[in-house]
């Protein structure tokens, strides 16, 4: 009688939709190093801004909810919003996330914290309102004032399990995988009580696809899921950039996860807010110009906005586009349909990741397993580009 | 929703876990207990504890109709929590599908809506962090918990250096009193380490720091109290928490009524591994339990006093042993006691051996739960009842060689014949599923070198296993300190060579611990050699050029030098020439530990783990490099940084495990080898605490001195007795990990005794080889109770 063999512990792997699945889709090798390997980005511009803007919107909502004197908009930057920003910045620093000096000036954060934006300290405080702060103000005063009264549950944790795709007993780690996300939820009840002129309500009324969808469900019992994106609106029709589609799959999966929760009502739509669109950077403007030229974007400028975009030259200051155009570009409404396709897509991403994990446990080399996806925008900011087997360009380690 | 009978029958049929009364009355009682009945479950090793906990939770949900979100379960490690949660999710869903498709009358819609993810499962710390984040007050941040090395750095910088206390003679004397010796004198890192231990105790035992400051009869007490206060203030100002403060804050939020909304939803609280609870945690659990009971639910604790291993982290096993009395006094309930004593893991010989071992020392019996039955063998699969084996050799070299041969023969050469009760038996790995992962070598510590630099059994055995034609790989993540690993030495040396090429800043710091400067020297040597032989990278630039550029601060290339350069950036650049940290799982895990240290150090440093090159403020460069020395490099060089073992999950599984007995807690292996004495050549007093203590350990001393200021009061048993109790528990845990074969190993003096140079016969008293604390050697010279191979 031989010895027994030691069984593997039973653990269901858990995947975050944004932190794992979307990251893997961006670049498999970067995901292996940064997410699975927990190697922190050395200059976490995107990560910092994403966390910052989520934190600011959440904290602004809490203030709006708990302090009735804060129900009047617009909120002043210096009087109200700056305090929220500094609170969030301090919080992010305590997690080891430091603001990129080009995006945010921590002036006034603590007594000994000096200005990093090289504004003379005697100048008015607004001079320290760099891009991240401008976007935070715009987000609160553009969308916050319409969204906050409608939110019924903030920062809802969404969790579910699904059958492990391509499961093989003895080979696969587990027969299930877990999937998670976090989102805000609006209920139809609050929509009915919204004051006239609420922009969210207007968008719901104006969106034909959504109206059609609402006519098929009980109009008094539905929910809308909200997610903020600290990025620009991705191109809808760029064959080389599937981000548009990935975001759709992400929120449709949120809708499925929400539907698994006992107290939920049917989810009618998801609203995504691309907050960079409210205040664009040089890079954002450059990307918009190219997308307009190539016909890749779904919200195109017209009239004066079109001319401003077309005439803009790299290196010159970013022109101020009209507010309606910026609003239009920053909101994306995704009616809930074809959730199954989205779930299948993520099932297949999980299958790919699990395959890589499995090959790693067989002793294969990391760079041979995890697919590196060369993309200049991603590679330029990637810490691993100087030893990536498939970079978008030749990158040499610089001492600085 | 589901009748108990249907639930029980489905569990037996679908999950193949027999919880029927006739199969195991105690498991049946634990799972089927009414939802309002609180339980005190004393669960021996291998008694199916996880199964009972998971099925009890599923019974509450399916049979008692309790909402999953009303259930809270805590356990001791993240790994155990993940396994519990996975089992709840997996089995919960399997049962649901069975209920929906079976003829059992059910409310299918309600079943579909069940969300098992809502069961709150985690370690107490992770649950505290989640709840405090979710229920935070407006404006209050979610708590950020720091790592232990950050605690050490804050204690050093804010507690000691900021007030010149590192030179305080009274403080040094107090710490010597607490550790029980004055020689060798402590270096700065050890002083800090001792202060952190005291700080932890003040939270865990709920010590009144003011009373200690005023009433403890030593001039150093006020200095220690002030140091701890300054450390706490620094944490609060940085919005940071260490784990003890997190739990303390959690308790205070409860007491202030700040978490009443959360408590309103709690109906059932289950605490696993309760034997390692401390007073602070007990207070939290009792508060949670109060809420559960008031809401019509109950409180269950599960544990085993014989497996309590964490006194040095503040655990007080008495809280478990006296649970019935304490819970009666505080919550006015009388929990039902259930003993899970059937052992489904080990062979009858191993179970009998464990029972004999734990009952051997008469005085230990007073430290155990009263009325506890012996564990009984109940394995249900087919097995051989091998005798308990022993391998003792004249020296550790020979032991490692013979042990490696034994392992190789068991795994690959058709097995090893041993003499059993009824004739010869073959110890042989499973022909198809067997692998080195079935074997574990358990030691007091898995370190490959002793404190004095001597090679230990874990290193010898690793080397011997490498010598076979098909080498047997080992898994020993704690075998070496991070700073000893060659690839880490190269990387850290390159950092030093780049930021402080001549060591000028290093030499200007006169308080650097000597062990750190020794390590820096080794790192630099490793780096200089590597620069000469570094592999080419994918880029055209060479490592040598890169380092030259750094050393000249860009002067050689006339590049404009940035004013702020993040150390993390430099590290990523250097990896370009270090392939082991690009492609190898272990290399990546070492890199993660280094980058994590850099990131966390930025939390409390003035320069945020960056080097400042500002021509108008030239002294900033030296200051920022000095800070990198203290907050990052000294931490790495003195063994304060551990790797994150969870990140090694994708290492190939066919490795032989070498681990400490503490690491092995909760695990089981078909073949377990326990090192009971490969380090003990003589009866030397400096090793006595590992086998036959002369007095209390440092943790016992701290309990003696500090608990007079705690509500729990001073310990009843002497420090020496508690040290003996802990050793018995440690080896009971080790022996009870074995499923099929238990093999005790050591060197001959431990089993037979030895002769001094003067020709006198001596023996080596050792709890792990059958001595009791009164110096009686029950197993006797030769250890003839074991089957020697």
């Amino acid at each position: 009688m031989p010895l027994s063999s030691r069984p593997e512990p039973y653990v269901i792997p858990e995947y975050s939709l944004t932190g794992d699945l979307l990251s893997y889709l961006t670049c498999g090798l970067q995901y292996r190093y940064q997410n699975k390997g927990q190697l922190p980005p050395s200059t976490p511009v995107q990560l910092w801004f994403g966390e910052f803007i989520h934190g600011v919107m959440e904290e602004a909502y809490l203030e709006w909810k708990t302090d009735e004197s804060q129900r009047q908009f617009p909120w002043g930057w210096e009087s109200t919003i700056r305090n929220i920003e500094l609170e969030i910045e301090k919080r992010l620093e305590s997690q080891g996330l430091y603001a990129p000096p080009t995006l945010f000036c921590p002036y006034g954060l603590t007594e000994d914290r000096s200005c990093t934006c090289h504004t003379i300290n005697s100048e008015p405080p607004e001079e320290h309102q760099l891009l991240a702060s401008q976007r935070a103000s715009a987000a609160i005063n553009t969308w916050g004032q319409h969204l906050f009264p409608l939110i019924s549950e903030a920062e809802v944790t969404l969790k579910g399990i699904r059958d492990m795709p391509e499961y093989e007993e003895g080979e696969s780690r587990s027969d299930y995988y877990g999937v998670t996300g976090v989102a805000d939820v609006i209920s139809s009840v609050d929509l009915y009580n919204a004051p006239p002129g609420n922009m969210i309500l207007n968008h719901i009324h104006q969106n034909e696809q959504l109206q059609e969808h609402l006519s098929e469900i009980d109009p008094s019992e539905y929910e809308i899921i909200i997610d903020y994106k600290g990025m620009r609106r991705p191109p809808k029709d760029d064959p080389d950039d599937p981000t548009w589609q990935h975001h759709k799959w992400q929120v449709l999966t949120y809708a499925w996860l929400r539907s698994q929760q006992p107290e939920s009502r049917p989810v009618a739509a998801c609203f995504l807010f691309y907050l960079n669109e409210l205040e664009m950077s040089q890079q954002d403007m450059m990307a918009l110009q190219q997308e307009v030229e190539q016909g890749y974007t779904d919200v195109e400028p017209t009239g004066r906005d079109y001319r401003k975009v077309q005439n803009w030259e790299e290196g010159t200051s970013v022109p101020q586009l009209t507010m309606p155009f910026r609003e239009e570009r920053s909101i994306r409404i995704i009616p809930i349909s074809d959730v199954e396709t989205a779930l299948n897509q993520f099932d297949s991403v999980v299958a790919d990741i699990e395959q890589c994990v499995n090959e790693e446990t067989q002793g294969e080399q990391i760079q041979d397993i995890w697919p590196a996806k060369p993309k200049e925008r991603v590679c330029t900011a990637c810490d691993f580009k100087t030893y990536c087997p498939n970079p978008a360009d030749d990158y040499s380690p610089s001492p600085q | 929703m589901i009748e108990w009978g249907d639930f029980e029958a489905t569990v037996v049929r679908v999950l193949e876990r027999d919880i029927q009364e006739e199969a195991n009355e105690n498991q049946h009682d634990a799972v089927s207990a009414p939802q309002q009945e609180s339980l005190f479950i004393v669960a021996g090793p291998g008694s199916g504890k996880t199964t009972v906990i998971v099925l009890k939770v599923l019974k509450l949900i399916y049979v008692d109709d309790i909402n999953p979100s009303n259930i809270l379960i805590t356990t001791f490690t993240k790994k155990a929590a993940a396994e519990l949660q996975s089992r709840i999710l997996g089995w919960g869903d399997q049962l649901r599908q069975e209920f929906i498709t079976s003829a059992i009358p059910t409310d299918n819609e309600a079943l579909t809506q069940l969300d098992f993810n809502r069961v709150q499962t985690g370690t107490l710390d992770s649950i505290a962090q989640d709840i405090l984040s979710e229920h935070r007050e407006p404006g209050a941040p979610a708590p950020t918990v720091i790592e232990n090395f950050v605690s050490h750095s804050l204690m050093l910088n804010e507690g000691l250096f900021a007030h010149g206390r590192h030179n305080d003679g009274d403080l040094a004397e107090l710490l010597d009193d607490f550790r029980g010796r004055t020689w060798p004198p402590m270096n700065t890192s050890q002083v800090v380490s001792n202060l952190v231990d005291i700080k932890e105790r003040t939270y865990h035992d709920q010590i009144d720091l003011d009373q200690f400051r005023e009433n403890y009869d030593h001039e150093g007490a006020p200095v220690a109290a002030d140091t701890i206060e300054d450390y706490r203030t620094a944490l609060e100002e940085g919005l940071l928490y260490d784990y003890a403060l997190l739990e303390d804050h959690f308790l205070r939020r409860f007491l202030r009524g700040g978490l009443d909304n959360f408590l309103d939803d709690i109906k059932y609280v289950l605490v696993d591994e309760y034997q390692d609870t401390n007073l602070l945690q007990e207070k939290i659990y009792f508060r949670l339990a109060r809420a559960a009971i008031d809401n019509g639910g109950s409180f269950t604790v599960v544990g085993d006093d014989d497996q309590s291993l964490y006194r040095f982290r503040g655990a007080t096993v008495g809280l478990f042993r006296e649970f019935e009395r304490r819970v009666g006094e505080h919550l006015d309930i009388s929990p039902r006691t259930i003993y899970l004593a059937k052992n489904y893991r080990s062979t009858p010989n191993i179970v009998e051996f464990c029972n004999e071992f734990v009952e051997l020392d008469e005085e230990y019996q007073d430290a155990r739960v009263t009325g506890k039955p012996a564990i009984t063998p109940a394995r249900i699969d087919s097995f051989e009842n091998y005798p308990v084996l022993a391998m003792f050799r004249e020296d550790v070299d020979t032991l490692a060689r013979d042990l490696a041969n034994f392992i190789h023969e068991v795994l690959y050469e058709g097995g090893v014949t041993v003499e059993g009760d009824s004739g010869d038996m073959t110890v042989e790995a499973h022909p198809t599923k067997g692998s080195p992962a079935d074997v574990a070598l358990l030691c007091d510590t898995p370190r490959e070198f002793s404190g004095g630099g001597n090679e230990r059994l874990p290193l010898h055995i690793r080397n011997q296993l490498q010598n076979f034609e098909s080498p047997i790989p080992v898994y020993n993540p704690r075998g070496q300190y991070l700073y000893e690993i060659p690839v880490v030495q190269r990387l850290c040396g390159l950092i030093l060579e780049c930021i402080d090429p001549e060591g000028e800043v290093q030499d200007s710091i006169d308080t650097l611990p000597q062990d750190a400067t020794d390590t820096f020297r080794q790192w630099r040597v490793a780096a200089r050699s590597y620069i000469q032989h570094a592999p080419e990278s994918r880029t055209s630039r060479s490592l040598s050029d890169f380092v030259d550029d750094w050393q000249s601060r860009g002067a050689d290339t006339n590049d404009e030098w940035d004013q702020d350069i993040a150390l993390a950036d430099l590290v990523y650049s250097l990896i370009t020439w270090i392939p082991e940290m690009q492609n190898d799982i272990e290399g990546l895990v070492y890199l993660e530990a280094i980058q994590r240290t850099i990131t966390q150090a930025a939390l409390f440093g003035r320069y945020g783990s960056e080097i400042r090159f500002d021509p108008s403020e030239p002294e900033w460069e030296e200051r920022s490099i000095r800070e990198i020395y203290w907050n990052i490099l000294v931490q790495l060089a003195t063994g304060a940084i551990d790797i994150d073992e969870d990140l090694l999950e994708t290492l190939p599984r066919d490795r032989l495990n070498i681990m400490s007995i503490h690491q092995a807690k909760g695990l089981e292996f078909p073949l377990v080898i326990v090192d009971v004495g490969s380090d003990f050549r003589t009866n030397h007093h400096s090793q006595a605490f590992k086998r036959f203590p002369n007095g209390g350990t440092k943790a016992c001393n701290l309990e003696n001195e500090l608990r007079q200021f705690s509500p729990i009061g001073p310990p009843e048993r002497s420090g020496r007795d508690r040290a003996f109790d802990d050793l018995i528990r440690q080896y009971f845990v080790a022996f009870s990990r074995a499923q099929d074969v238990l093999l005790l190993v050591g060197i001959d003096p431990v089993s037979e005794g030895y002769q001094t140079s003067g020709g006198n016969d001596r023996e080596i008293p050792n709890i792990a080889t059958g001595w009791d604390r009164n110096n009686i050697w029950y197993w006797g010279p030769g250890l003839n109770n074991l089957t020697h191979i």
Side-chain angles (χ1 to χ4, degrees), chain A residues 4, chain B residues 44-50 307 342-348 350-351 354 375-381 383 664-670 672 732-741:
Chain A
S4 341
Chain B
S47 60
K49 182 183 71 168
T50 305
Q307 298 185 67
K342 283 193 174 181
N343 180 301
Y344 297 97
R345 173 186 296 158
S346 309
T347 60
I350 294 171
V351 169
C354 289
I375 50 174
T376 55
R379 251 181 96 155
I380 45 180
D381 58 344
F383 59 87
K665 177 88 178 56
L667 304 179
E668 59 187 20
F669 300 88
V672 169
F732 176 73
V733 168
F735 299 152
S736 58
R737 299 306 95 196
Q739 292 172 278
D740 297 299
V741 176

Side-chain angles (χ1 to χ4, degrees), chain B residues 15 40 55 69 94 148 180 200 224 266 309 329 333 375 455 526 531 573 622 686 715 764 766 785:
Chain B
L15 305 180
F40 175 45
L55 293 179
S69 63
Q94 274 178 268
N148 287 340
E200 296 278 298
I266 293 298
L309 296 181
E329 283 171 13
I333 57 170
I375 50 174
E455 296 179 347
I531 290 170
S573 292
E622 187 190 328
S686 68
I764 302 179
N766 184 354
N785 56 325

Side-chain angles (χ1 to χ4, degrees), chain A residues 1 3-4 6 8 12 33 40 42 59 93-94 98 176 262-263 360-361 365-367 386-387 395 399-400, chain B residues 86 93 113 139 144 386 428 438 538-539 550 560 562 569 572 576 582-583 602-603 650 652-653 668 740:
Chain A
M1 173 70 56
L3 304 181
S4 341
R6 188 172 174 235
E8 288 297 319
I12 295 176
Y33 287 140
S42 60
E59 195 60 40
E93 283 193 0
S94 73
Y98 287 81
Y176 296 96
E263 67 275 27
E360 227 181 87
T361 55
Q365 294 274 291
I366 286 170
Q367 293 192 346
T386 58
Y387 49 90
Y395 299 100
Q400 301 159 55
Chain B
S86 297
D93 195 58
Q113 288 286 309
T144 299
Y386 299 101
E428 181 190 5
D438 297 335
R538 289 198 171 92
T539 70
W550 249 90
E560 195 181 320
D562 272 2
D569 243 348
Y572 282 130
T576 310
Q582 303 167 10
N583 237 340
L603 296 180
T650 51
R653 290 175 193 137
E668 59 187 20
D740 297 299

Side-chain angles (χ1 to χ4, degrees), chain A residues 172-184:
Chain A
S172 306
R173 283 198 287 178
S174 157
D175 42 356
Y176 296 96
Y177 77 90
V179 60
T180 66
V182 177
D184 292 345

Side-chain angles (χ1 to χ4, degrees), chain B residues 133 300 315 373 410 461 488 544 554 564 570 581 608 631 758:
Chain B
S133 303
T300 289
V410 168
I461 195 81
V488 173
S544 169
D564 304 317
L570 168 63
M581 286 182 165
N631 294 353

Side-chain angles (χ1 to χ4, degrees), chain B residues 49 77 259 350 411 428 541 596 606 634 637-638 643 736:
Chain B
K49 182 183 71 168
T77 63
L259 295 171
I350 294 171
L411 290 171
E428 181 190 5
R541 199 181 186 111
R596 173 164 38 93
R606 181 171 286 272
V634 168
T638 52
I643 59 158
S736 58

